[in-house]
Amino acid sequence: MREKDEYCITAGEFAKICQTTRDTLRYYERQGILVPKKNPVNGYHYYSYTQISSYYFIRTFRGLDCSVGDIREYLLGGEEIRFDEFVEQQYEKLLYMRKELDQKIGTIAGTRKILDQIRIADVGTPVIRKIEEPLSLVCTTVESAPALSFDEIETDIREHLKLCKCSGIQAFPMGAAMNKDAFMDGDYTYKNVFSITESEHMKMTGDGMVDMEEQDQWLDRQQMHICNMKSGDYLVAVCRESDGDIKAVYEAIKSVLKREQRELISDVYSLSIVNVIDPHEEKKYLKYLFAAVSGKEKRTRG
């Protein structure tokens, strides 16, 4: 009696057993990671039952974003590559991918937070409102003069983006800040360019993780600093590009502060962003202004 060939499963049957497609099997064959035996008589391809385990090994690690090249290197590497070393390599890659994904989620979460604040603040006039969510900003000193518009600080914006080498810093959205005392005196010169960061405890990338002291030294060398905006009362305003001279909004802010008997306790931050409120408006940009203010003084009866 002739012994039954180990390679006895047709490609179609093998695809059904493994719940995959013939195209996938052909691809794995071309890559050299799951090669069937070709019958020299009829030209059909046959797989073995042991290759079912091989297929699910490939499928499992492909599902973990392991590249075909890495899988091929392991399968064809013989004793040079141990399975535990291969698993450890993939584990380290997944940890790195998770870190990157967490950063992307943080970026989206920060953007959602800002967009929510903009929509709430869009009431047609500056208002004072309670903001519960804290916000951390990374600021770069503006060197240009004059610095009264974003056009005039274009060079500073470019340098700021180059220096954002820390994980967790968002290039979008981005804005510029004015000194609070100068602002109240009618001087609207930008002093910093800023971006949003996840927290004050960001870590530098490129050269690896660093401790907080090294990070602070790095920030100082780049003329950057972190400003933590805590929860509290904020003066907020939305100014569309179509609203005209933004100085009118600045004056309205001062009027609200005077009427409400408040004082600025932070710089005035101007965030430039695509118009998310009226996307069909011809003028596509708006500014979201915000600044922390003092609590309202309680009047005592005489």
Side-chain angles (χ1 to χ4, degrees):
M1 179 185 293
R2 190 179 69 177
E3 185 177 347
K4 186 177 181 180
D5 194 338
E6 178 187 359
Y7 290 83
C8 59
I9 309 174
T10 65
E13 291 173 341
F14 190 85
K16 289 180 180 179
I17 293 172
C18 296
Q19 302 177 61
T20 186
T21 65
R22 296 282 296 274
D23 286 342
T24 298
L25 295 179
R26 281 190 284 267
Y27 173 70
Y28 288 163
E29 180 183 356
R30 291 196 301 271
Q31 298 301 316
I33 59 177
L34 189 64
V35 181
K37 182 178 179 180
K38 185 176 181 179
N39 187 310
V41 177
N42 58 24
Y44 291 167
H45 288 179
Y46 293 90
Y47 293 84
S48 69
Y49 280 99
T50 58
Q51 285 182 303
I52 295 175
S53 177
S54 297
Y55 170 78
Y56 278 101
F57 168 82
I58 296 168
R59 177 174 169 174
T60 297
F61 281 91
R62 286 292 290 150
L64 296 174
D65 278 337
C66 181
S67 71
V68 170
D70 285 344
I71 294 173
R72 181 172 55 244
E73 182 179 359
Y74 169 71
L75 292 176
L76 303 182
E79 293 298 323
E80 296 179 5
I81 303 179
R82 291 166 51 90
F83 182 66
D84 55 350
E85 293 176 353
F86 173 75
V87 171
E88 190 64 26
Q89 291 174 3
Q90 302 312 312
Y91 179 71
E92 293 297 327
K93 288 182 180 180
L94 287 173
L95 287 179
Y96 181 77
M97 290 169 60
R98 183 173 71 178
K99 177 186 172 184
E100 287 193 321
L101 181 59
D102 286 342
Q103 292 174 9
K104 292 176 181 178
I105 292 174
T107 297
I108 293 297
T111 302
R112 289 180 63 198
K113 186 190 306 182
I114 290 294
L115 295 179
D116 287 342
Q117 292 182 11
I118 291 175
R119 290 189 177 97
I120 294 172
D122 184 42
V123 295
T125 184
V127 294
I128 294 175
R129 61 179 295 264
K130 184 81 170 179
I131 294 182
E132 300 291 347
E133 293 286 340
L135 190 67
S136 293
L137 309 174
V138 179
C139 304
T140 306
T141 303
V142 169
E143 301 290 347
S144 299
L148 297 172
S149 68
F150 276 43
D151 290 341
E152 292 175 343
I153 62 170
E154 177 186 358
T155 302
D156 303 280
I157 292 174
R158 291 177 182 271
E159 290 302 313
H160 175 82
L161 292 174
K162 289 179 183 178
L163 294 172
C164 288
K165 299 177 181 179
C166 300
S167 63
I169 298 181
Q170 299 178 207
F172 169 85
M174 183 180 60
M178 297 168 277
N179 178 274
K180 62 183 178 65
D181 296 323
F183 180 88
M184 296 303 296
D185 290 335
D187 181 358
Y188 307 125
T189 299
Y190 290 126
K191 59 175 285 191
N192 291 315
V193 178
F194 71 88
S195 290
I196 298 170
T197 182
E198 296 172 18
S199 72
E200 59 180 309
H201 303 295
M202 57 187 184
K203 303 292 189 217
M204 289 163 50
T205 59
D207 296 327
M209 305 295 280
V210 301
D211 59 31
M212 293 304 297
E213 183 177 352
E214 290 181 29
Q215 175 184 286
D216 291 340
Q217 293 174 355
W218 184 85
L219 289 170
D220 288 340
R221 289 196 300 271
Q222 311 304 330
Q223 291 186 298
M224 302 178 79
H225 67 276
I226 299 175
C227 179
N228 295 303
M229 309 296 288
K230 299 179 180 180
S231 59
D233 288 345
Y234 280 76
L235 192 145
V236 295
V238 174
C239 179
R240 293 170 175 77
E241 191 179 5
S242 58
D243 289 343
D245 191 354
I246 196 171
K247 290 182 180 179
V249 179
Y250 296 160
E251 294 302 317
I253 289 175
K254 296 177 189 178
S255 297
V256 171
L257 291 171
K258 182 178 180 180
R259 184 179 69 246
E260 297 294 328
Q261 299 180 343
R262 306 291 190 100
E263 293 183 355
L264 295 176
I265 57 174
S266 78
D267 289 334
V268 179
Y269 295 90
S270 176
L271 192 67
S272 182
I273 192 170
V274 175
N275 191 339
V276 295
I277 299 172
D278 298 317
H280 302 295
E281 188 174 303
E282 182 179 352
K283 302 293 186 178
K284 294 297 183 181
Y285 294 90
L286 58 78
K287 292 184 186 296
Y288 172 56
L289 304 167
F290 60 96
V293 297
S294 61
K296 191 169 186 178
E297 296 182 2
K298 295 183 179 179
R299 295 184 180 179
T300 57
R301 295 184 179 179

